[in-house]
């Protein structure tokens, strides 16, 4: 039983090393040698846990998407029934997520199509999540799907721009949250929210 726990610990250690290297370099261009050196193991041992760099990045993506789903995008039935309030809470939570975790998801998602390190299941999971959020936005704001995706992407830029300022101590967390809420509210208020 202890060997199984140690195996899981080592796998998490490998992922933590890969994530640290991504954060430091702000790139997905990792080498097995750098990861192995960081963990203190041989390169060949890394293959016991992952098939290669893309598999590590895919595992990191799923780990972060799990966190996002728990903290930023809880089930709409569990929160406020008001779309505007839920959206403000979600973007506030997204800001906290980015301050605490950095731009890992953004770095992974900027790789498109054939360059994407994500496996088909991860890409499908992310697309399903986006569709769920866009569908709720379409219904609440009476938007076409493409308009909802564009609006969400534009609004997501607010916490994505504020988080690095907090991490660099250029503004404090409270100021970032106040700014985020004010700008997200202004963007949402530009649309008439459907009743009910």
């Amino acid at each position: 039983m202890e060997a199984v726990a140690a195996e899981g610990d080592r796998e998490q250690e490998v992922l933590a090393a890969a994530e640290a290297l991504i954060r430091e370099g702000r790139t997905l261009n990792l080498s097995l040698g750098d990861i192995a050196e960081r963990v203190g193991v041989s390169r060949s041992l890394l293959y016991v846990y992952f098939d290669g760099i893309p598999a590590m990045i895919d595992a990191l993506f799923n780990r972060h998407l799990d966190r996002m789903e728990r903290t930023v995008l809880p089930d709409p039935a569990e929160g406020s029934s008001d779309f505007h309030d839920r959206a403000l809470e979600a973007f506030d939570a997204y800001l906290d997520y980015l301050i605490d975790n950095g731009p890992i998801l953004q770095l992974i998602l900027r790789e498109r199509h054939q360059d994407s390190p994500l496996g088909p299941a991860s890409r499908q999971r992310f697309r399903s999540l986006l569709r769920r959020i866009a569908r709720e936005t379409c219904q609440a704001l009476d938007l076409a799907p493409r308009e909802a995706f564009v609006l969400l992407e534009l609004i997501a830029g607010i916490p994505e721009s504020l988080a690095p300022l907090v991490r660099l101590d250029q503004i404090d967390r409270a100021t970032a949250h106040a700014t985020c809420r004010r700008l997200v509210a202004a963007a949402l208020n530009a649309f008439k929210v459907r009743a009910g």
Side-chain angles (χ1 to χ4, degrees):
M1 190 69 150
E2 287 179 27
V4 173
E7 293 278 323
D9 291 346
R10 182 56 57 98
E11 183 176 313
Q12 295 310 310
E13 203 177 335
V14 169
L15 286 178
E19 183 170 344
L21 289 166
I22 290 170
R23 284 184 192 204
E24 290 165 15
R26 296 190 53 81
T27 181
L28 299 182
N29 293 329
L30 303 174
S31 80
L32 289 173
D34 289 341
I35 296 167
E37 184 178 325
R38 176 81 51 117
V39 177
V41 298
S42 69
R43 283 178 48 161
S44 59
L45 184 63
L46 295 178
Y47 285 104
V48 169
Y49 304 103
F50 298 99
D51 289 339
I53 299 291
M56 287 180 206
I57 292 171
D58 192 68
L60 278 174
F61 176 80
N62 280 293
R63 174 197 277 184
H64 279 274
L65 203 54
D66 287 343
R67 287 182 199 158
M68 287 272 295
E69 286 181 317
R70 279 192 316 273
T71 60
V72 177
L73 303 167
D75 186 345
E78 294 176 7
S80 168
S81 62
D82 180 63
F83 173 80
H84 188 270
D85 291 344
R86 280 194 322 276
L88 287 176
E89 290 168 10
F91 283 105
D92 253 357
Y94 185 44
L95 175 60
D96 280 330
Y97 172 82
L98 291 169
I99 291 168
D100 297 337
N101 296 285
I104 297 293
L105 282 175
Q106 293 163 280
L107 291 170
I108 294 171
L109 290 171
R110 76 178 178 194
E111 302 296 329
R112 300 285 188 221
H113 309 299
Q114 69 272 13
D115 295 331
S116 176
L118 300 178
S122 295
R123 287 194 301 267
Q124 178 59 38
R125 179 179 176 206
F126 184 69
R127 281 193 299 267
S128 294
L129 179 64
L130 281 181
R131 280 194 296 272
R132 184 189 102 195
I133 298 165
R135 189 171 32 254
E136 184 178 352
T137 304
C138 287
Q139 292 169 351
L141 301 180
D142 199 20
L143 296 173
R146 185 172 299 270
E147 292 172 323
F149 278 114
V150 170
L151 177 65
L152 290 168
E153 191 166 339
L154 289 172
I155 293 177
I158 296 167
E160 289 168 359
S161 297
L162 291 167
L165 298 176
V166 175
R167 285 195 314 273
L168 294 170
D169 290 324
Q170 293 177 354
I171 61 174
D172 62 40
R173 192 180 285 250
T175 301
H177 275 288
T179 304
C180 184
R181 288 184 76 79
R182 190 170 55 251
L183 293 175
V184 170
L188 293 174
N189 288 337
F191 296 90
K192 183 178 175 170
V193 177
R194 280 188 191 174

